[in-house]
Amino acid sequence: MTGTVFDIKRFAIHDGPGIRTSVFLKGCPLRCEWCQNPEGIPLDPILWYFSSKCIKCGECVKNCPVDALTKGGQDPNYIEIDHDKCTLCGRCTDVCPTAALSITGEEKSTEWVASELLKDKVFYEKSGGGITLTGGDPLYQHEFSLSILKAIKEYDIHTAVETAMFGMEENLLKFVPFTDLFLVDFKILDNDKHKVYTGVENKLIKSNFERLSKKTENILVRVPLIPGYTATEENIINIRDYVYSIRADIRIELLNFNPLARDKYKILHKQYPTFQTNRSYSEEEMQSFNRFL
Amino acid sequence: MEVGFDKKLLGLIPKIEKLEPITRITQMKDIIINNERFLSLEQALIITDSYKRTEGKSRSLQRAEALSDSLELITINIDDDELLVGNRTVGIRDGVVFPEAGISWVEKEIDTLPFRAQDKFSVRNKDKVDFFEQIVPFWKGRTLEEYINTNCGNEISAISGVVKINQKDHAQGHIIPDVKGWLGKGPLGLLNELESHKSINKDHQKAEFYESVEIVLKGALRFIERYAVLAKSLAEINSLNDSKQELMTISNTCNAIIRRPPETFREALQSMWFLFVILQMESNASSFSPGRIDQYLFPFFEKDIKDGELSLSDALELLEALHLNFNKIVYMRNSEGARYFAGFPIGFNISIGGQDENGEDAANALTFLILKAQEHLGLPQPNMTARLYNGSSDEFIDTCSKVIGLGSGMPQIVNDESIIPSLQRVGISKKDAVDYGLVGCVELSTQGNNLGWSDAAMFNLLKALELSINDGVCLLTGESKGFSAGALEDFSSFDDLIDAYKKTIDFFVNKMMKAVEFVDRAHAVMMPSPFLSSVIKSCTEKGLDVTAGGAQYNLSGIQAIQVANVADSMAVLRQMVFSEKRISKEEFIKALRGNWKGYESLRQSVIHKVPKYGNDVSWVDRFGTEWADYFAHSLENFQNIRGGRYHMGLYTVSAHVPMGKNVGASPDGRFSGSPLADGGVSPMYGQDIKGPTAVLNSVSKLKSNLASNGTLLNLKFLPSFFTNKEDREKFNQFLRTFVELKIHHVQFNVVNKHDLLEAQKYPDKYKNLTIRVAGYTAYFTELAKDLQNEIIERTAHEM
Ligand code: SF4
Ligand code: SF4
């Protein structure tokens, strides 16, 4: 079977135990304002541009059959992409000598993904690591995700799934026999705020979480700290109380904010939100957040 | 832990962990580093006088007498606060002129020495005058350098570009003496032993050899005695009680090790230091390496600690004093050499950890104390190597990681699991192979019994490829290099190209061997080394100087340069030129001949559109493996003149820069004259974009077994990997996997703010710098500038 993958990162060390490889699967039902991989939200592939690699040769502009590219629009250092016009024909990526343009999100087979993941098997074995499905949200392409998990489990490798749990319960539970660790994202406990900031209510998320926690013990709740959104005392305490009310032995981890996604919003012609602060939290700040847990 | 069961005193580790830096050592460190360095002519003058006196004797006896005179006459002193005494110059870090090997570069550069960009030495006027009046005229026609130039200069320059022949104007060095034997017997014991060997071997040449050894060992005893006397007389005039006491301790220590083998930790360190000073006085060479000091010094340490004679902090102070001493002797290189070996590395390489002969973890309390000294001092010397194997303890690995994280690049990590079998493959016994140590930078050697001649030559495989696709004509000079197997236009298939490349390699390997043999022989003629021979096993039994094949093992190492560029170039040629035919052969070679001028777009495609070595792409990595194999096997048809084998190394240390200067534009997108990939087996900079696990996988495909002379891999990491305990744990696992993958060597550069600023400026070179944040996917160079700045600030903060 096949699915859409937008990246595979080896030596991932913050997405579960040991040394891991993370597979980034496209598609996510949430629309978090702060999403750090916005290119992963839509299921469809999209033309992607790395300004730092571009030598401004203009070859791409010349070769685009539908005039989707312009040089020197608002920002003279950028090739602007009209994503509506672009047909993803791949002409520009072929002529671009520096690979500054690429189509992110490729159709890949389960076998291909598995063979990429197996390349670092020896590292997983030595470090107690394994593979992590992330995205986007692996629940979005749940059949494909499941096929990868099954393929990897054949080799007795540790598997983790990072999900916001917004999907059909039965699809989520299908992962359970093949998943050694669920990294579940909890962003905001207040339902109204959740709706405003992520585009969806969190009722489904909660009920899925409750069901999941009955089926497996291997859950780690992760709260991304977004300044002005999730990183408040109230929210952290609420999440804590809620999680512990479901099961007191579930671990909660706070993820530090990082402002690294700004460039991505520019390429997508999206507004990057203004955060209260534009840097990661210091160790001391992290400690004080952790005190709320 | 019960002391009775703690044979390695590992129970002391928590106490060692808490030891603080020592003020007195820190002060001495500052003095050593900031001291003005001078050119020193004193020993050259002594040697010159000596040679005049001994005119007509054999070179071996002349060398012996010259060393003995130096030991007798060189000015000695004891610096304030010094704990372990002995130096070959009065000034700290003076640059010694050494006429027996060669002085033509000093003749040319003496005026610029004080002003050159790297590693300056001041020159006193009187020394300059003496140099030209007394040294230069006498040594005309008497140096190793001239001997080689006269007899083999043409052959050597005919192949230069492809082959760099080394050891042409200085003694060989690159050896681990039998420190254990030296400590066990002392110079007096060695002299006694000599008598019994002498009585068995009676022919004339051997008699001369024994006479030489006797002269230098007696000289060594006198040299140590001079320090005993000096310390005592300084004690007598010193009014401070503490200093008096210390000077008397120095005097007593020196006296003791003249009379008998050392018994205490202090005596052992002092004795060992004299050994290295005297070796330098005999040869003035890079890389007399101490080997496994945590093993042979441990019995002394253990005894003193158990007897309550030595506190841990005193032991650390002595060790740190030894570390300081390793920085007091420098090796003055010519300006070219100084640029590439900046900071005069002299190759006091110490190897710690690893396994013992029973396969058990050899790391002991002293191992941890040595790491502590490195943590405190972080000096360029000693060059510290940690041996890992499957049985290394978590504690040892974690302590190494912490020290690595401090950013000195040390300890570098080597791997018993791959090194021991590869040494056995070239005829070394299991017992000796298990006891290996590192020499200089990354050269592999057994201890105390092996003239490894590890830097015989460097073979530039990329240059050979250039000649193979350009009719044997150098792209830089347009000059024909004497052999052609065709040009790219002529090859109808990729296989044709492979044939041509093989023929070119064979041609130059044959020529190289003749030159290497000659240089090897020249050392036996011009640089016999009786003192070194006294501390290399089997020389005195055989009655044969180490340069003439007296050692138990006699290897010669030749480096193949540079796997990454060859693999990448082959990948480009195969994919773009022969398979996809994106560009014609004629166009492609035209682009190379013109150094990519007018072909920037092609060059970019070459860089970005063809996978490169270091990304775990099998068909590309295979080129690296194949050509390293081909080269290694081509060496196997030869035997060196000392009766030993040739074997391959895959390292350049910093020579990837000058080696790159010799190569025109290459098919991998490299510009003419620009550096090759660094280290030895590292990917081309910026080309390893799949992260460090992929790099290790790629490197592991090379047959390390065939690279028994040593390999070098550099990896860059951000400081956060070492400061945060959880990340460091993953780094430790990474090291364990490195061991599992049977790669010989890896060294870690901790990226600092400066590196990141460079990365902003030259993104192509740093494409591999990954930013690892949960769930986030980015390479440093792909971030916008302000975000890069954010990371830079954060990194600076972590340093
Ligand atoms: S992918 Fe095709 S349509 Fe889209 S911008 Fe590139 S050339 Fe134009
Ligand atoms: S072809 Fe590539 S390098 Fe050239 S302008 Fe377009 S994106 Fe930039």
Side-chain angles (χ1 to χ4, degrees):
Chain A
M1 102 164 278
T2 64
T4 316
V5 176
F6 71 99
D7 207 350
I8 289 189
K9 275 279 183 283
R10 295 162 75 168
F11 199 58
I13 58 163
H14 294 117
D15 296 308
I19 295 170
R20 315 186 72 81
T21 301
S22 298
V23 186
F24 293 79
L25 297 159
K26 281 196 68 121
C28 182
L30 273 65
R31 293 291 176 271
C32 305
E33 288 188 17
W34 56 79
C35 178
Q36 52 174 351
N37 294 324
E39 74 276 31
I41 295 175
L43 184 58
D44 298 328
I46 184 168
L47 183 65
W48 201 249
Y49 171 68
F50 295 103
S51 62
S52 62
K53 287 187 183 174
C54 175
I55 54 169
K56 283 91 196 175
C57 68
E59 281 301 307
C60 53
V61 180
K62 260 191 267 165
N63 281 281
C64 176
V66 296
D67 293 331
L69 300 171
T70 37
K71 193 175 165 186
Q74 304 165 344
D75 185 335
N77 286 323
Y78 270 67
I79 297 295
E80 300 245 4
I81 306 166
D82 187 334
H83 293 286
D84 293 335
K85 275 193 192 166
C86 172
T87 61
L88 296 174
C89 73
R91 192 88 50 90
C92 60
T93 59
D94 191 47
V95 296
C96 173
T98 65
L101 285 166
S102 67
I103 291 172
T104 165
E106 281 178 278
E107 178 95 355
K108 296 288 186 191
S109 70
T110 309
E111 294 73 34
W112 184 88
V113 174
S115 76
E116 281 300 298
L117 294 177
L118 288 173
K119 282 183 172 174
D120 277 349
K121 186 162 178 274
V122 55
F123 289 90
Y124 313 150
E125 284 165 359
K126 280 279 154 188
S127 68
I131 68 109
T132 300
L133 301 187
T134 177
D137 195 311
L139 201 46
Y140 205 80
Q141 300 185 56
H142 59 91
E143 285 174 325
F144 183 51
S145 296
L146 188 62
S147 75
I148 298 172
L149 292 171
K150 281 182 178 168
I152 290 303
K153 265 291 151 216
E154 298 271 313
Y155 296 89
D156 208 19
I157 290 171
H158 185 277
T159 55
V161 171
E162 189 197 15
T163 174
M165 300 172 293
F166 191 87
M168 283 176 47
E169 180 190 305
E170 70 174 280
N171 293 335
L172 177 65
L173 295 185
K174 274 187 200 153
F175 290 164
V176 172
F178 307 98
T179 303
D180 298 301
L181 178 65
F182 284 88
L183 301 163
V184 304
D185 290 346
F186 244 106
K187 298 156 207 281
I188 298 170
L189 202 77
D190 181 283
N191 192 37
D192 296 338
K193 282 192 187 146
H194 197 279
K195 175 112 213 286
V196 174
Y197 294 143
T198 73
V200 300
E201 296 192 2
N202 66 12
K203 282 191 197 126
L204 179 62
I205 291 176
K206 280 188 189 164
S207 73
N208 275 338
F209 175 67
E210 284 151 32
R211 287 285 296 162
L212 187 67
S213 64
K214 290 206 174 66
K215 295 278 177 196
T216 174
E217 296 184 348
N218 306 315
I219 300 177
L220 172 65
V221 171
R222 305 208 297 182
V223 183
L225 293 179
I226 312 296
Y229 291 85
T230 66
T232 66
E233 177 175 352
E234 189 200 349
N235 185 44
I236 296 170
I237 290 178
N238 284 345
I239 290 178
R240 177 198 67 187
D241 290 347
Y242 165 70
V243 170
Y244 290 168
S245 75
I246 304 300
R247 264 218 347 237
D249 60 344
I250 291 180
R251 269 204 321 127
I252 306 174
E253 187 179 281
L254 302 180
L255 294 179
N256 199 343
F257 173 66
N258 79 73
L260 304 179
R262 196 181 320 153
D263 223 29
K264 296 183 174 183
Y265 281 77
K266 194 161 173 180
I267 297 160
L268 292 169
H269 304 293
K270 281 192 180 162
Q271 184 67 37
Y272 189 62
T274 27
F275 297 110
Q276 278 173 353
T277 162
N278 267 320
R279 55 167 185 84
S280 300
Y281 291 114
S282 69
E283 216 168 291
E284 296 76 48
E285 288 168 314
M286 283 305 288
Q287 269 169 16
S288 50
F289 282 126
N290 273 310
R291 253 174 247 133
F292 303 137
L293 289 181
Chain B
M1 199 181 284
E2 247 182 273
V3 174
F5 291 96
D6 191 5
K7 277 192 300 208
K8 301 193 160 89
L9 299 182
L10 294 172
L12 294 173
I13 294 174
K15 283 195 192 136
I16 293 172
E17 200 31 59
K18 290 196 200 89
L19 291 171
E20 294 287 329
I22 303 160
T23 324
R24 150 189 193 150
I25 297 284
T26 319
Q27 283 164 354
M28 283 196 278
K29 172 180 161 182
D30 292 342
I31 293 174
I32 291 173
I33 287 178
N34 300 317
N35 181 63
E36 182 180 3
R37 294 178 303 266
F38 284 90
L39 168 142
S40 168
L41 207 62
E42 191 184 5
Q43 199 190 348
L45 290 166
I46 295 171
I47 293 176
T48 307
D49 281 348
S50 179
Y51 265 69
K52 286 178 185 161
R53 185 170 63 76
T54 57
E55 185 86 63
K57 290 196 181 180
S58 71
R59 185 82 172 188
S60 167
L61 280 170
Q62 282 202 295
R63 293 248 307 138
E65 295 278 5
L67 173 59
S68 167
D69 287 354
S70 305
L71 293 165
E72 181 73 60
L73 299 171
I74 202 98
T75 315
I76 61 169
N77 71 326
I78 295 172
D79 293 324
D80 291 346
D81 278 338
E82 212 169 23
L83 287 165
L84 300 172
V85 297
N87 200 347
R88 58 175 179 162
T89 55
V90 171
I92 300 169
R93 291 160 52 101
D94 277 354
V96 167
V97 175
F98 205 74
E100 289 166 296
I103 44 170
S104 70
W105 80 263
V106 185
E107 236 181 300
K108 281 185 221 118
E109 296 186 15
I110 197 164
D111 287 326
T112 48
L113 260 182
F115 312 109
R116 63 189 194 180
Q118 189 67 50
D119 297 352
K120 302 175 178 55
F121 289 87
S122 305
V123 181
R124 293 186 186 88
N125 244 335
K126 181 176 180 317
D127 285 341
K128 194 175 148 187
V129 173
D130 287 348
F131 178 72
F132 283 108
E133 287 181 358
Q134 302 194 43
I135 308 290
V136 175
F138 178 80
W139 288 96
K140 277 273 168 296
R142 296 174 200 257
T143 63
L144 169 75
E145 181 184 19
E146 279 174 272
Y147 181 83
I148 292 173
N149 260 341
T150 317
N151 295 295
C152 189
N154 291 337
E155 286 82 351
I156 290 174
S157 56
I159 53 173
S160 72
V162 178
V163 180
K164 181 167 179 287
I165 303 287
N166 294 325
Q167 326 299 350
K168 299 192 296 285
D169 64 353
H170 49 83
Q172 220 279 135
H174 290 90
I175 196 162
I176 305 178
D178 179 18
V179 188
K180 197 172 168 186
W182 169 266
L183 294 177
K185 297 167 195 160
L188 206 57
L190 290 174
L191 265 173
N192 293 336
E193 225 179 56
L194 203 62
E195 285 304 314
S196 61
H197 295 314
K198 216 155 93 175
S199 58
I200 307 169
N201 293 311
K202 284 200 163 126
D203 73 64
H204 169 70
Q205 255 198 332
K206 290 188 174 169
E208 220 162 45
F209 167 73
Y210 286 122
E211 194 185 339
S212 309
V213 177
E214 198 174 322
I215 292 170
V216 294
L217 283 174
K218 286 184 175 158
L221 284 166
R222 273 201 304 280
F223 186 58
I224 301 172
E225 192 183 1
R226 289 177 64 206
Y227 277 94
V229 173
L230 176 65
K232 186 153 181 262
S233 57
L234 288 175
E236 277 158 12
I237 55 171
N238 203 305
S239 53
L240 292 170
N241 252 340
D242 282 355
S243 309
K244 228 185 204 4
Q245 194 59 47
E246 279 190 357
L247 285 160
M248 277 319 293
T249 309
I250 290 172
S251 182
N252 295 339
T253 305
C254 293
N255 269 322
I257 58 179
I258 298 167
R259 283 182 283 110
R260 55 162 172 77
E263 287 171 358
T264 66
F265 188 57
R266 178 191 280 263
E267 286 172 7
L269 287 173
Q270 180 63 72
S271 172
M272 164 191 177
W273 178 242
F274 275 125
L275 169 65
F276 284 94
V277 173
I278 299 169
L279 284 168
Q280 282 297 343
M281 289 174 78
E282 181 176 63
S283 294
N284 184 47
S286 167
S287 305
F288 286 105
S289 295
R292 303 181 78 185
I293 74 170
D294 63 339
Q295 301 305 304
Y296 57 70
L297 289 176
F298 183 70
F300 300 96
F301 170 79
E302 184 188 25
K303 181 174 160 294
D304 282 6
I305 291 279
K306 283 192 176 159
D307 292 352
E309 294 289 325
L310 185 74
S311 70
L312 267 186
S313 57
D314 286 348
L316 180 66
E317 188 175 57
L318 284 166
L319 260 184
E320 294 194 355
L322 179 71
H323 279 215
L324 290 180
N325 280 7
F326 285 135
N327 294 276
K328 284 186 186 169
I329 295 185
V330 300
Y331 181 56
M332 183 168 71
R333 291 176 165 83
N334 63 20
S335 58
E336 170 95 355
R339 268 222 303 285
Y340 302 120
F341 297 94
F344 13 74
I346 191 160
F348 285 122
N349 197 324
I350 62 177
S351 305
I352 58 171
Q355 60 192 291
D356 65 17
E357 57 198 41
N358 305 317
E360 271 164 39
D361 189 356
N364 56 45
L366 191 54
T367 316
F368 286 84
L369 206 61
I370 291 167
L371 283 165
K372 194 52 149 182
Q374 179 65 24
E375 180 190 319
H376 285 168
L377 294 171
L379 283 164
Q381 295 292 323
N383 190 1
M384 190 176 288
T385 306
R387 284 178 46 172
L388 298 194
Y389 82 115
N390 280 333
S392 294
S393 68
D394 289 341
E395 214 161 17
F396 178 54
I397 295 183
D398 192 52
T399 310
C400 289
S401 300
K402 276 189 214 155
V403 179
I404 289 169
L406 299 174
S408 70
M410 283 187 265
Q412 54 177 351
I413 305 293
V414 296
N415 184 357
D416 286 7
E417 305 294 343
S418 67
I419 289 172
I420 293 169
S422 83
L423 288 172
Q424 284 181 268
R425 193 188 150 269
V426 286
I428 285 164
S429 73
K430 173 92 194 274
K431 181 169 176 291
D432 286 334
V434 167
D435 203 27
Y436 78 92
L438 267 75
V439 166
C441 301
V442 297
E443 299 88 313
L444 306 174
S445 178
T446 55
Q447 297 190 91
N449 54 17
N450 184 356
L451 180 57
W453 205 279
S454 38
D455 281 315
M458 294 201 260
F459 191 100
N460 195 330
L461 282 171
L462 191 65
K463 184 72 186 180
L465 180 60
E466 171 184 321
L467 299 177
S468 307
I469 57 173
N470 195 38
D471 237 342
V473 174
C474 172
L475 279 178
L476 298 166
T477 61
E479 195 188 322
S480 171
K481 285 285 177 186
F483 178 82
S484 167
L488 189 58
E489 302 96 300
D490 311 330
F491 304 142
S492 55
S493 68
F494 190 65
D495 286 345
D496 284 359
L497 179 133
I498 285 179
D499 275 349
Y501 192 29
K502 283 184 177 165
K503 285 183 189 142
T504 311
I505 292 174
D506 294 348
F507 174 81
F508 284 100
V509 165
N510 276 310
K511 297 243 167 207
M512 167 177 73
M513 285 308 187
K514 297 212 174 72
V516 164
E517 258 179 34
F518 186 85
V519 172
D520 201 334
R521 195 172 293 126
H523 279 250
V525 175
M526 299 300 283
M527 300 300 282
S529 305
F531 185 69
L532 176 60
S533 303
S534 77
V535 286
I536 292 296
K537 275 186 201 141
S538 102
C539 293
T540 52
E541 282 103 281
K542 289 191 205 160
L544 209 53
D545 193 274
V546 63
T547 57
Q552 184 182 344
Y553 298 112
N554 284 284
L555 296 164
S556 288
I558 295 180
Q559 279 52 268
I561 317 291
Q562 196 84 307
V563 166
N565 301 95
V566 171
D568 292 355
S569 294
M570 284 293 182
V572 169
L573 286 166
R574 197 177 95 177
Q575 181 178 316
M576 288 190 107
V577 182
F578 286 95
S579 307
E580 292 174 358
K581 298 196 170 62
R582 266 179 186 247
I583 178 148
S584 72
K585 291 175 275 188
E586 290 75 12
E587 274 298 285
F588 194 79
I589 193 77
K590 206 172 140 206
L592 297 184
R593 286 179 185 142
N595 193 19
W596 301 106
K597 203 154 178 229
Y599 288 93
E600 182 54 21
S601 177
L602 172 64
R603 196 182 78 88
Q604 291 292 343
S605 305
V606 156
I607 291 176
H608 296 281
K609 300 244 154 137
V610 182
K612 299 291 180 332
Y613 168 79
N615 296 294
D616 204 2
V617 178
S618 296
W619 73 269
V620 178
D621 295 339
R622 204 178 304 133
F623 285 123
T625 312
E626 271 171 22
W627 290 106
D629 285 9
Y630 185 78
F631 184 78
H633 289 305
S634 78
L635 300 180
E636 287 175 352
N637 306 322
F638 301 85
Q639 195 185 49
N640 71 27
I641 58 151
R642 288 166 286 118
R645 295 169 71 155
Y646 286 96
H647 60 158
M648 177 180 69
L650 294 171
Y651 62 86
T652 46
V653 191
S654 350
H656 62 291
V657 182
M659 296 300 273
K661 285 217 163 107
N662 283 330
V663 187
S666 45
D668 54 351
R670 211 188 109 268
F671 281 118
S672 176
S674 64
L676 307 180
D678 69 51
V681 298
S682 313
M684 187 63 172
Y685 37 83
Q687 294 291 3
D688 50 326
I689 52 177
K690 291 271 160 75
T693 58
V695 173
L696 287 198
N697 280 341
S698 281
V699 175
S700 75
K701 292 173 203 161
L702 296 167
K703 292 187 193 128
S704 59
N705 219 16
L706 296 179
S708 39
N709 194 42
T711 67
L712 202 167
L713 170 64
N714 280 320
L715 285 179
K716 289 193 180 73
F717 272 83
L718 284 166
S720 58
F721 276 97
F722 307 95
T723 39
N724 167 325
K725 195 166 179 316
E726 266 171 44
D727 285 4
R728 196 172 67 237
E729 190 46 44
K730 304 213 174 178
F731 180 80
N732 297 344
Q733 320 284 357
F734 183 75
L735 288 178
R736 288 225 184 258
T737 319
F738 155 84
V739 172
E740 182 75 21
L741 286 170
K742 301 216 177 356
I743 299 167
H744 284 342
H745 165 279
V746 64
Q747 176 154 22
F748 297 94
N749 302 317
V750 181
V751 176
N752 55 30
K753 186 172 173 179
H754 169 82
D755 297 325
L756 293 177
L757 289 170
E758 286 285 293
Q760 271 188 325
K761 260 193 265 165
Y762 309 106
D764 263 0
K765 291 192 183 176
Y766 289 86
K767 271 190 299 185
N768 52 352
L769 260 191
T770 39
I771 304 299
R772 288 282 183 264
V773 189
Y776 188 71
T777 79
Y779 287 101
F780 181 78
T781 52
E782 288 174 350
L783 299 172
K785 188 142 187 211
D786 49 344
L787 298 173
Q788 291 180 342
N789 288 340
E790 216 265 344
I791 306 258
I792 290 174
E793 284 320 309
R794 205 187 322 158
T795 304
H797 173 72
E798 280 165 2
M799 284 305 286

